[in-house]
Amino acid sequence: MPKQFKVNNPATGELIAEVKVNSEEEIKQSLKNGHDSFEKWSKINAHERSRLLRNWSHIIQENKEQIAELMTLENGKPLKESLGEVDYATSYIDWYAEEAKRIYGRTIPAATETKRIVISKQPIGLVAAITPWNFPAAMMTRKAAPALAAGCTFIVKPAEDTPLTTIKLIELAHEVGIPTDVVQYVIGDGKEVGDLFTNSEYVRKITFTGSTPVGKSLIKNSADTVKHVTMELGGHAPLIIAEDADLEFAVSQTIISKFRNAGQTCVCTNRIIVHENVVEEFSKKLTEKVKKLKVGNGLEKDTQIGPIINEKGYDKIVSQIHDALDKGAEALVGNQYNANKEQGYFFVYPTVLKNVNLNMMIMQEETFGPVAPIISFKEIDEAIEIANSTPYGLAAYFFTNDYRTGTYLHDHLDFGIVGWNDGAPSAAHVPFGGLKESGLGREGGTEGIEPYLETKYLSIGNV
Ligand code: SIN
């Protein structure tokens, strides 16, 4: 492993910081510390853990502007989105500060008069998290908050591209009195740290947000020590526009769903499936709106679309656009770039593609970029077939005001998150997660604390 990671601003390529990489010994020591501090932390009463979480949320909000600026510097997203992400991040802490006080057990009527049966919940132990660069604050708190609320200790490895926001948030947790061994971060290469996490006998749970291939290998590597796993993996979200949809509204929601964070989210729309009778009008309206999106440095006030995180991400997006064009698609807007490999910045202008078909790479692989491919359908079952024709099952969206069409689509779409006339369904109080190869388990909502808890059954005899 190199001794330091360089963190660059993806909008300019400039070096922002160099972050020390932890040695194998340091990471093993941190895992031991996390394990050793579990006994004490798990015994602290839930109201006190809740109070500490509330204080953590509060101090993050006090530092909101500074954190958002740091996030934009390392991630590139527009400042407005970074400010929104700080709120999104603290909403998880706020939610689980309350849930900490609601970890209930139950009693079960026994089958004899001489027994009592009690079911209780207890925290799992040390949780190791690996978090992505696209939401460096919220994807960490979505894991840390329920873990700490449940009484688990927590260690996180942030993405190499964006460690600074995470470091800042963990430092603030320590500032409000959450013990340093209870919530920790380590810096290192994904594969190497992932192996240390999965091989460690101290870690009881791995929670990961990132690509499906990495998730699969973490699941495999967790098998030897039978760790619990929560996996929030890739997506390829369909967005269906029914013939009766309110097109004006559907276009505005498509913009939100497709172009948030320059299309670099797991739940971003990746296929727009439009009824043949409205496809021309929808495409025209979408293109008009997309033309107005302002691309630039996220720190500039009007920017709506920031840079692509790195060269690898950029190359993938460009090759998907070119592949689609080569196979007969037409770019209604976009297919423009501002990139400099030497300096290290990569912008893709928002692109709308029409005449797309299922043989194009963009219809099969996750794009993670600001490209909106449009395909048309005749019958609703055809739309469902196109939507489900992917190994992914994270998010799906559809637009219709017909309740029969809506309930039919809901029943037949194989996705964990479904937005009906809603392009932005994510929130702290709801269960986020995917079907099929998009993951295992749920984060957020009342469901999101369960994966950090074990169920214990007590049978009392001779009463
Ligand atoms: C993700 O892209 O992984 C998360 C997006 C969200 O929480 O809405």
Side-chain angles (χ1 to χ4, degrees):
M1 261 197 261
K3 291 217 159 40
Q4 301 213 308
F5 277 148
K6 290 186 186 334
V7 184
N8 297 313
N9 179 344
T12 59
E14 279 160 7
L15 182 71
I16 316 165
E18 289 189 292
V19 179
K20 179 184 171 302
V21 170
N22 292 114
S23 66
E24 188 175 322
E25 289 66 40
E26 286 169 334
I27 295 172
K28 284 185 170 163
Q29 186 60 48
S30 296
L31 290 168
K32 181 167 184 327
N33 295 346
H35 171 264
D36 292 350
S37 59
F38 172 68
E39 181 66 21
K40 192 163 169 213
W41 175 252
S42 60
K43 297 289 175 300
I44 289 177
N45 75 71
H47 289 257
E48 175 60 6
R49 291 202 302 270
S50 171
R51 188 187 67 79
L52 286 166
L53 283 170
R54 285 200 306 277
N55 290 349
W56 187 22
S57 168
H58 189 70
I59 198 169
I60 293 173
Q61 282 294 333
E62 278 177 350
N63 289 273
K64 181 172 170 176
E65 273 72 27
Q66 189 203 344
I67 295 167
E69 199 162 305
L70 190 61
M71 201 188 304
T72 293
L73 273 175
E74 66 175 349
N75 167 286
K77 67 176 68 180
L79 192 55
K80 197 169 159 219
E81 287 193 32
S82 295
L83 289 163
E85 188 182 334
V86 177
D87 289 342
Y88 189 36
T90 55
S91 72
Y92 282 102
I93 305 178
D94 296 342
W95 176 263
Y96 287 109
E98 294 308 309
E99 288 299 294
K101 296 177 278 184
R102 300 192 183 103
I103 299 170
Y104 302 132
R106 69 198 161 111
T107 59
I108 295 177
T112 80
E113 290 72 23
T114 59
K115 282 195 179 191
R116 296 281 183 281
I117 296 174
V118 179
I119 310 298
S120 59
K121 299 278 180 180
Q122 66 180 46
I124 244 171
L126 172 62
V127 172
I130 301 176
T131 53
W133 50 263
N134 62 342
F135 289 90
M139 295 305 103
M140 191 274 283
T141 60
R142 183 148 94 182
K143 300 175 191 312
L148 299 173
C152 297
T153 50
F154 183 81
I155 185 163
V156 58
K157 186 209 84 70
E160 286 95 308
D161 285 315
T162 58
L164 305 177
T165 307
T166 304
I167 293 173
K168 178 72 189 165
L169 296 189
I170 302 285
E171 284 171 355
L172 290 174
H174 298 157
E175 225 172 279
V176 297
I178 303 179
T180 50
D181 289 344
V182 165
V183 57
Q184 309 178 74
Y185 69 83
V186 290
I187 303 295
D189 166 78
K191 169 85 178 93
E192 290 175 36
V193 179
D195 285 348
L196 289 169
F197 281 0
T198 51
N199 291 337
S200 170
E201 72 206 42
Y202 295 131
V203 173
R204 285 309 310 138
K205 178 179 174 70
I206 300 282
T207 172
F208 171 67
T209 297
S211 75
T212 295
V214 174
K216 285 181 183 177
S217 100
L218 288 168
I219 295 170
K220 279 191 196 127
N221 296 344
S222 296
D224 281 344
T225 46
V226 194
K227 295 189 200 319
H228 296 252
V229 291
T230 295
M231 296 285 143
E232 203 266 271
L233 308 177
H236 203 290
L239 183 147
I240 299 173
I241 308 284
E243 190 178 5
D244 74 295
D246 174 343
L247 290 190
E248 225 36 85
F249 181 71
V251 164
S252 65
Q253 293 292 302
T254 305
I255 297 276
I256 294 168
S257 164
K258 176 64 254 182
F259 295 104
R260 172 181 175 219
N261 201 9
Q264 301 173 104
T265 88
C266 304
V267 288
C268 268
T269 291
N270 216 134
R271 275 166 297 157
I272 306 180
I273 307 163
V274 190
H275 192 274
E276 61 177 12
N277 291 348
V278 292
V279 69
E280 282 309 315
E281 195 183 344
F282 174 85
S283 307
K284 193 162 160 266
K285 283 183 190 294
L286 182 68
T287 304
E288 276 162 17
K289 280 241 160 71
V290 168
K291 275 184 186 157
K292 293 188 186 135
L293 292 174
K294 186 159 179 308
V295 179
N297 185 326
L299 289 177
E300 285 159 16
K301 203 168 140 276
D302 301 333
T303 296
Q304 291 163 295
I305 305 285
I308 302 306
I309 190 72
N310 55 32
E311 184 172 351
K312 192 167 161 231
Y314 172 83
D315 285 345
K316 182 177 187 194
I317 300 163
V318 175
S319 65
Q320 286 192 5
I321 296 175
H322 289 169
D323 170 77
L325 295 174
D326 288 348
K327 291 177 180 158
E330 183 192 336
L332 296 176
V333 56
N335 185 24
Q336 283 183 306
Y337 312 91
N338 173 18
N340 188 320
K341 295 203 176 196
E342 281 67 50
Q343 290 196 21
Y345 61 81
F346 306 93
F347 290 88
V348 175
Y349 281 70
T351 299
V352 177
L353 298 174
K354 81 166 198 185
N355 299 336
V356 166
N357 66 52
L358 293 173
N359 296 324
M360 297 173 181
M361 253 159 67
I362 199 160
M363 294 298 274
Q364 292 154 16
E365 295 171 11
E366 195 171 19
T367 304
F368 246 65
V371 190
I374 299 176
I375 186 167
S376 66
F377 73 92
K378 208 185 185 79
E379 303 295 339
I380 203 71
D381 283 325
E382 193 190 338
I384 292 169
E385 201 181 316
I386 297 171
N388 286 339
S389 67
T390 162
Y392 297 114
L394 187 56
Y397 309 89
F398 58 80
F399 291 83
T400 177
N401 290 327
D402 180 317
Y403 80 91
R404 284 205 181 87
T405 307
T407 47
Y408 189 78
L409 283 166
H410 169 257
D411 291 350
H412 290 85
L413 289 171
D414 296 333
F415 294 82
I417 303 162
V418 179
W420 177 351
N421 291 339
D422 184 2
S426 301
H429 46 275
V430 300
F432 184 107
L435 311 185
K436 302 195 305 197
E437 294 192 16
S438 283
L440 285 175
R442 294 293 178 272
E443 296 187 305
T446 49
E447 288 85 350
I449 199 163
E450 281 298 324
Y452 298 93
L453 296 165
E454 294 277 18
T455 298
K456 200 177 222 172
Y457 151 51
L458 170 70
S459 179
I460 311 171
N462 198 20
V463 287

